[in-house]
Amino acid sequence: MATPPGARGTARPATKHPHPATAGRPTVLTGATVVLPTGTVENGQVTIDGTRITAVAPENAQVIDVTGHYVIPGFIDIHNHGGGGASFTSGSVEDILKGIHTHRLHGTTTLVASTVTGDMDFLTQRAGLLSELAEQGEIAGIHFEGPFISPCRKGAHSEALLRDPDPAEVRKLIDAARGRATMVTLATELPGGIDSVRLLAEQGVIAAIGHTDATYEQTVEAIDAGATVATHLFNAMPPLGHRSPGPIAALLEDDRITVELIDDGTHLHPAALRLAFHRAGADRVAFITDAMDAAGFGDGRYWLGPLEVEVADGVARLLADGTIAGSTLTLDRAFKRAVTVDGLSVEDAVTALSATPARLLGMDDRIGSLEPGKDADLVLLDADYDLKGVMRRGEWVVGPQLR
């Protein structure tokens, strides 16, 4: 696949957007309903000094009364292909930064950039570019979704560019990411799949089972080899059957697996989502967006890798055959839907959107919960669970919108 115009270049830091009223000044948010790892605190407070949450408020701190609002940890998205009209697979550095900022405006303070299937030379080039952004702290790492996936369950990936997961080629991608590869999605039943899972586990990279046509037994073998994530559970895999349970049963029943779920009302029926959530539990669910360029941008025609996509009424589908092609979801919408439609508790939704993905990424010492010493990444919601503020590392990306 040819390199898209503007895809090459040197990464540079994104423009920061501090809220002028609080930039650089200690801040105390008071009167809020604060969701902590130990439970929800009414009329609580969160103190920010510099880039971190602190236990004690300095004397010169600015106090902001956020009574009637929730303060929750910033959202963490481990599977995201773009947004704001920009693609992480093919966009320029400026495009990628625009996509990252679009999701920050919707509460995602930590994001893993996902690619889609392409030829190996193109993907290694993208890995190098994205690794620079990871080194600068703009993204938390790189997720390679394809090309090592099943043609039977390819979804919105180019079948012509798919290949078996040869460990040597998997290693080539990891090396190109210069230590910033976070996750690789594989159809582990393909030739080389199990050996590639073992390689990824040895290298400290998450092996994710997805876009797979595996049987139950083949999935168990992959988990035993070191796979730890189910890429968008239910989607792009055989359905659950009572005689042929397939990968879904194996992934749900094993406590070693974290399952990704796309809660946009299109990818999953609420009953399927609740089934997965209540079987796995909040500690094993990571809500993701699987977002493509149109997230936070609007309907129209887009490209997902080499495939053309039409987005209508917020649903992305391949122009050629109508296959769902990622989503236009943002995590603030996923949070609200989880609580208001799916009936999850606020605490469980916070776990699935923040604590679980932080732990999966090995970053729970810095992010994923509101605790002293951790990064001041937080989201402010009103009583209807609508976003009213976003702070990332002590700076307001969206200044508090209070009545």
Side-chain angles (χ1 to χ4, degrees):
M1 182 169 62
T3 303
R8 298 185 184 275
T10 300
R12 64 168 184 257
T15 302
K16 294 184 178 180
H17 300 269
H19 189 254
T22 58
R25 183 178 175 188
T27 303
V28 181
L29 304 177
T30 65
T33 300
V34 183
V35 181
L36 302 172
T38 54
T40 298
V41 176
E42 302 292 340
N43 194 28
Q45 72 176 39
V46 178
T47 303
I48 302 101
D49 192 356
T51 64
R52 300 296 179 92
I53 297 169
T54 62
V56 180
E59 291 184 3
N60 65 332
Q62 175 177 249
V63 177
I64 302 177
D65 186 347
V66 292
T67 299
H69 293 72
Y70 289 88
V71 178
I72 63 175
F75 304 137
I76 301 170
D77 195 352
I78 62 170
H79 187 155
N80 187 315
H81 297 280
S87 168
F88 298 151
T89 297
S90 59
S92 67
V93 171
E94 290 76 12
D95 290 335
I96 296 168
L97 294 173
K98 178 182 177 183
I100 293 166
H101 186 63
T102 296
H103 284 282
R104 286 179 186 167
L105 293 174
H106 292 275
T108 298
T109 51
T110 301
L111 177 150
V112 174
S114 302
T115 62
V116 296
T117 294
D119 67 44
M120 289 298 292
D121 288 342
F122 177 75
L123 288 174
T124 55
Q125 179 269 321
R126 295 303 294 182
L129 186 150
L130 290 169
S131 69
E132 294 182 38
L133 289 167
E135 289 161 8
Q136 295 170 8
E138 298 292 347
I139 60 175
I142 307 166
H143 164 217
F144 297 101
E145 188 181 24
F148 311 115
I149 61 176
S150 172
C152 301
R153 304 287 174 176
K154 65 183 184 299
H157 291 255
S158 171
E159 185 169 356
L161 295 171
L162 300 182
R163 59 183 64 215
D164 291 337
D166 180 343
E169 293 202 318
V170 173
R171 182 61 184 261
K172 183 178 179 180
L173 279 188
I174 297 171
D175 290 346
R178 302 200 301 263
R180 301 294 177 167
T182 296
M183 181 163 62
V184 178
T185 293
L186 309 119
T188 54
E189 75 278 9
L190 296 177
I194 297 299
D195 287 340
S196 291
V197 168
R198 293 194 182 101
L199 169 68
L200 292 168
E202 290 169 1
Q203 296 297 313
V205 179
I206 296 166
I209 300 171
H211 289 275
T212 177
D213 204 41
T215 63
Y216 173 89
E217 292 76 15
Q218 289 171 326
T219 306
V220 169
E221 182 184 10
I223 297 169
D224 287 340
T228 56
V229 166
T231 293
H232 43 54
L233 187 75
F234 295 108
N235 300 116
M237 59 183 62
L240 182 66
H242 64 291
R243 292 192 181 92
S244 179
I248 293 172
L251 294 164
L252 276 178
E253 72 182 5
D254 198 304
D255 289 344
R256 293 171 290 182
I257 293 293
T258 299
V259 298
E260 296 181 346
L261 297 175
I262 309 171
D263 195 5
D264 63 349
T266 298
H267 281 79
L268 297 174
H269 189 284
L273 183 140
R274 288 193 294 267
L275 171 68
F277 196 96
H278 292 302
R279 174 61 186 88
D283 289 339
R284 287 183 50 216
V285 170
F287 282 129
I288 61 165
T289 61
D290 194 19
M292 47 79 70
D293 311 20
F297 200 68
D299 291 353
R301 295 279 180 90
Y302 298 85
W303 291 92
L304 188 61
L307 304 179
E308 193 169 7
V309 175
E310 183 167 23
V311 178
D313 297 325
V315 178
R317 297 184 180 275
L318 291 183
L319 193 62
D321 62 10
T323 298
I324 294 176
S327 85
T328 63
L329 186 63
T330 52
L331 285 183
D332 57 333
R333 288 168 44 210
F335 182 94
K336 181 169 182 174
R337 181 179 176 86
V339 176
T340 62
V341 176
D342 303 314
L344 302 183
S345 69
V346 169
E347 293 81 3
D348 280 350
V350 165
T351 299
L353 282 159
S354 302
T356 297
R359 186 176 61 253
L360 182 68
L361 295 175
M363 299 176 69
D364 51 327
D365 60 331
R366 286 182 39 218
I367 59 175
S369 60
L370 301 176
E371 297 178 270
K374 293 193 176 183
D375 288 353
D377 293 351
L378 59 86
V379 173
L380 186 66
L381 303 173
D382 66 15
D384 295 321
Y385 311 109
D386 291 320
L387 186 143
K388 296 298 178 181
V390 180
M391 178 179 284
R392 181 176 185 268
R393 298 181 185 173
E395 294 184 346
W396 289 107
V397 180
V398 177
Q401 301 169 12
L402 308 174
R403 294 175 183 174

